[in-house]
Amino acid sequence: ITICLICLGTRLAPKENLDIPVLFMPDTMKMYEAVVVIHVMRENGENWPYEDSAELNKDFKSSVTIAESGGIQGILWIYPVHGIPEAPQQQLVPAVVRCRARQRIERRLEVLLTGVVPGATAMPATRNSTVVSTNKPANVQEEVQVTDGFSTTLEFLYELQYQTNEIKSHLGAFIGMHLIQRERDTESGIITLIFNIVFAPNKPMRNEATLVVQCTTGGIWKFPMLFIATQPEVDDVINIEAVGLNKESIVSFKLTSQTR
């Protein structure tokens, strides 16, 4: 992280704004940290009077510089900066999960994480891919610990992001995703994460989502996904037999609501 120092010796009028350019050009998929420190002093070199400078509390002492005379010589503003690299966004083909409404389907999703990650060999972050397998998911590995929600599994965080909160509220209840396995290629350093996806829609729909994977030491990968729920199977066939011309034939059937 490079911080431009053009503000060194800059004069500021009362209530004036100061922009500090920050340039971030990561070469590895890990988080970088820096601190921007702003030190302000009076233009005429005089101190700000403060009678009880010797009794300043600990938090305030870290934000000022005290002169020998007891006044405040300078004021500090400290801003921590975290640089988190994100894999280049490419025109990836979305991983499609398709299921009939009112049915349930399980799929296995494999994603490839390229770039430098913990314990991996250096490799440019040039390609991401997703593969959906129709095979049944493998057994959950014992060494992989999984929690609900925005999940932590040793080195990785993951979540599904939706285009709007409304889509999230409707679609989120029908989708379950868990990380079940991870593998690393020792030669290329590519990490493969294998997820188990459960999709159980209650009505026809077609919505996009994004699988976001973040390494706990920094680095973000994004993979597009598409969830499609087709028309459900026909519940029943109702046959009405005519009793004669110009005569009504009546048949009754019951409808049960799934909600109130």
Side-chain angles (χ1 to χ4, degrees):
I1 299 177
T2 302
I3 300 171
C4 185
L5 297 180
I6 59 172
C7 57
L8 186 63
T10 301
R11 298 172 58 184
L12 286 178
K15 297 184 179 182
E16 185 178 357
N17 295 327
L18 173 65
D19 294 329
I20 303 177
V22 178
L23 177 64
F24 181 45
M25 297 180 62
D27 57 357
T28 56
M29 294 293 287
K30 65 179 182 180
M31 185 174 69
Y32 297 82
E33 297 182 73
V35 176
V36 178
V37 180
I38 310 299
H39 189 200
V40 175
M41 302 176 65
R42 276 188 167 183
E43 186 178 11
N44 56 13
E46 297 181 358
N47 300 328
W48 283 282
Y50 194 87
E51 298 178 357
D52 300 326
S53 58
E55 300 180 1
L56 292 175
N57 60 59
K58 183 178 180 181
D59 294 335
F60 192 52
K61 281 185 177 180
S62 62
S63 302
V64 298
T65 54
I66 307 300
E68 295 181 357
S69 60
I72 297 177
Q73 186 177 15
I75 303 175
L76 295 174
W77 283 269
I78 302 175
Y79 301 92
V81 178
H82 289 177
I84 302 178
E86 183 174 323
Q89 293 293 308
Q90 300 180 4
Q91 297 298 324
L92 300 178
V93 177
V96 180
V97 181
R98 188 188 305 268
C99 179
R100 267 192 167 185
R102 300 207 304 265
Q103 292 187 4
R104 180 181 183 275
I105 195 171
E106 290 192 29
R107 290 291 183 263
R108 192 169 71 170
L109 172 68
E110 295 184 3
V111 298
L112 303 182
L113 309 184
T114 58
V116 176
V117 293
T121 305
M123 180 178 179
T126 57
R127 182 175 65 91
N128 298 333
S129 65
T130 58
V131 177
V132 175
S133 172
T134 58
N135 297 329
K136 292 295 183 180
N139 294 331
V140 176
Q141 302 297 308
E142 294 181 357
E143 66 271 14
V144 178
Q145 301 176 2
V146 180
T147 58
D148 294 333
F150 191 82
S151 307
T152 306
T153 59
L154 298 181
E155 295 178 354
F156 298 98
L157 309 171
Y158 64 92
E159 70 170 345
L160 277 176
Q161 294 182 352
Y162 305 93
Q163 293 177 330
T164 64
N165 290 330
E166 183 179 0
I167 295 177
K168 180 179 179 179
S169 62
H170 288 91
L171 190 60
F174 307 138
I175 300 175
M177 172 175 286
H178 298 281
L179 178 60
I180 60 174
Q181 188 176 347
R182 58 179 183 171
E183 301 172 352
R184 181 175 67 89
D185 189 301
T186 56
E187 295 183 0
S188 64
I190 295 178
I191 299 291
T192 301
L193 299 183
I194 301 177
F195 295 89
N196 181 45
I197 300 177
V198 178
F199 186 34
N202 66 346
K203 61 182 179 180
M205 64 179 67
R206 182 187 181 93
N207 287 300
E208 298 177 352
T210 301
L211 171 60
V212 180
V213 179
Q214 180 176 357
C215 184
T216 53
T217 59
I220 296 176
W221 296 261
K222 295 183 178 180
F223 305 94
M225 299 191 67
L226 179 61
F227 291 91
I228 301 176
T230 57
Q231 292 291 335
E233 293 183 354
V234 175
D235 294 285
D236 200 359
V237 177
I238 301 173
N239 294 317
I240 304 178
E241 184 176 349
V243 296
L245 293 176
N246 300 318
K247 293 183 179 180
E248 293 183 351
S249 296
I250 299 175
V251 63
S252 63
F253 56 92
K254 295 182 178 181
L255 296 179
T256 302
S257 176
Q258 298 295 323
T259 64
R260 294 186 179 182

